[in-house]
Amino acid sequence: MRITAEDLTDIAISILSHAGARRDAATKVATRLVHANLTGHDSHGVGMVPAYVEGIQAGELLPDAEIAVVKDKGPFLLVDGQQGFGHVIAEQAMDLAIDRAKSSHFAVLSLRNSFHLGRLGDWGAMAADAGFICILYANVQSPRPLVAPFGGSDARFVTNPYCTAIPATSKNPMFLLDMATSTIAMGKARVAHLSGKTAPEGALINAAGEPTNDPAVMFDEPIGALTTFGQHKGFGLALLGDMLGGSFSGGGAYSPEHEAPARIFNNMMAILIDPDVFGLVDEFNEDLDKYTDWVKASPAAPGSPGVLFPGDPERRSAQDRLANGIYVDGGTVAQLVETAKSVGVPHEALRGIVDDR
């Protein structure tokens, strides 16, 4: 079914509020989740709400938590998220990093112990909107590993995303590269499983280490694993997520000692750079525009819409979904309704997903 962004946001706010989140925090989280749906990243959208409620109920997600600055060394900041909502924690931490970058032309933020950060691209975009180039590495601590190392046959770490954001120029929108280092995000496997679809070829292996396109291997015993994108190349980036996002922050690379039911913890490194630090931002932007024009002038491949830069598909998706509503698969709708009922959300607050079923 298709649901308006406004209705979907209201439903998520209601569920999170009834689960114990303050209204302001629930609104911030719900807005970010629906923005992920709008941009086409349903893996990081409202389908995460049941996992957040489970985290609150298990004591893994502390809905009132805010950041604590652990180390403050000029442009270098170490921040602890204290198990709070990642959408709240990351925004607070990035605000600090942006302030430091404004005064130093540069900042390094190391964030640990946050509950699920959502789309890493949100935090890259936040820095780019403030005028900074931003490079991010993150890792994940969860109830079990999800991704197999290249050459291995079982999971050893999670989807460890990478992001780089570059501010918009006068001619072109923000460059926003945001990707899991697995071939697909775990949320995309969840969406495929709930909607009865298959996963892309090469994205999964079964418990024997053999390729499969059945997303059920990520949910039913015997458990399989996601693969890294680009084989050894994505594997290398995934390792950097654990090393720079996890180990450097003190939050730790993935290991069994961090596993716990209902846990989705992220650690992150954010590097912010002032593109005008050398007084060359005009030349930088001019060259970016020339380069963008050159690359996008490549004739479209057969069956392709043409060259799209990182961020372009998300902008197109948002335009379509704002106009026509957000498609939510039946499995996700059922999980949202079940979660809402479990925390006492009134029936009338579920308009758009109950009455239309």
Side-chain angles (χ1 to χ4, degrees), residues 2-79:
R2 287 192 176 269
I3 306 172
T4 68
E6 182 180 2
D7 282 350
L8 205 53
T9 302
D10 288 344
I11 290 164
I13 291 171
S14 186
I15 295 173
L16 293 170
S17 297
H18 279 79
R22 297 191 314 266
R23 182 78 181 183
D24 60 333
T27 300
K28 188 163 289 188
V29 173
T31 301
R32 293 279 187 183
L33 291 174
V34 173
H35 179 68
N37 288 113
L38 283 171
T39 55
H41 295 284
D42 297 321
S43 57
H44 289 66
V46 293
M48 292 300 303
V49 168
Y52 291 1
V53 172
E54 184 182 359
I56 292 171
Q57 293 172 339
E60 293 291 334
L61 168 54
L62 306 181
D64 293 334
E66 298 189 347
I67 61 169
V69 177
V70 180
K71 297 285 185 181
D72 183 343
K73 295 189 174 183
F76 297 90
L77 288 163
L78 174 60
V79 173

Side-chain angles (χ1 to χ4, degrees), residues 160-219:
N160 296 2
Y162 168 84
C163 175
T164 290
I166 300 175
T169 69
S170 60
K171 287 183 58 180
N172 287 290
M174 179 191 303
F175 177 99
L176 184 60
L177 174 63
D178 174 21
M179 61 187 190
T181 52
S182 51
T183 304
I184 59 172
M186 180 59 178
K188 293 189 186 299
R190 183 192 75 242
V191 171
H193 184 54
L194 290 173
S195 58
K197 297 179 180 178
T198 58
E201 293 294 332
L204 301 168
I205 58 174
N206 62 23
E210 300 163 335
T212 179
N213 62 4
D214 182 2
V217 300
M218 297 305 299
F219 303 93

Side-chain angles (χ1 to χ4, degrees), residues 216-268:
V217 300
M218 297 305 299
F219 303 93
D220 302 332
E221 296 289 347
I223 295 292
L226 302 171
T227 61
T228 55
F229 85 89
Q231 301 180 339
H232 58 286
K233 298 177 182 179
F235 174 44
L237 272 180
L239 296 178
L240 289 178
D242 263 312
M243 294 172 178
L244 298 180
S247 299
F248 185 73
S249 69
Y254 193 97
S255 69
E257 68 193 65
H258 295 297
E259 293 174 2
R263 173 171 289 187
I264 315 172
F265 283 9
N266 285 128
N267 307 295
M268 178 180 79

Side-chain angles (χ1 to χ4, degrees), residues 266-285:
N266 285 128
N267 307 295
M268 178 180 79
M269 172 184 278
I271 303 167
L272 284 69
I273 304 166
D274 180 0
D276 200 29
V277 65
F278 302 126
L280 298 173
V281 69
D282 291 339
E283 292 89 339
F284 175 64
N285 287 340

Side-chain angles (χ1 to χ4, degrees), residues 45-126:
V46 293
M48 292 300 303
V49 168
Y52 291 1
V53 172
E54 184 182 359
I56 292 171
Q57 293 172 339
E60 293 291 334
L61 168 54
L62 306 181
D64 293 334
E66 298 189 347
I67 61 169
V69 177
V70 180
K71 297 285 185 181
D72 183 343
K73 295 189 174 183
F76 297 90
L77 288 163
L78 174 60
V79 173
D80 195 294
Q82 303 194 102
Q83 299 178 226
F85 276 119
H87 300 84
V88 174
I89 295 302
E91 184 174 309
Q92 293 175 347
M94 288 299 294
D95 274 334
L96 292 179
I98 288 167
D99 283 344
R100 295 306 167 88
K102 287 178 179 177
S103 60
S104 302
H105 299 288
F106 174 75
V108 174
L109 167 70
S110 194
L111 170 65
R112 70 189 186 199
N113 200 29
S114 169
F115 206 78
H116 186 240
L117 289 171
R119 282 188 66 216
L120 207 60
D122 281 354
W123 318 122
M126 186 175 171

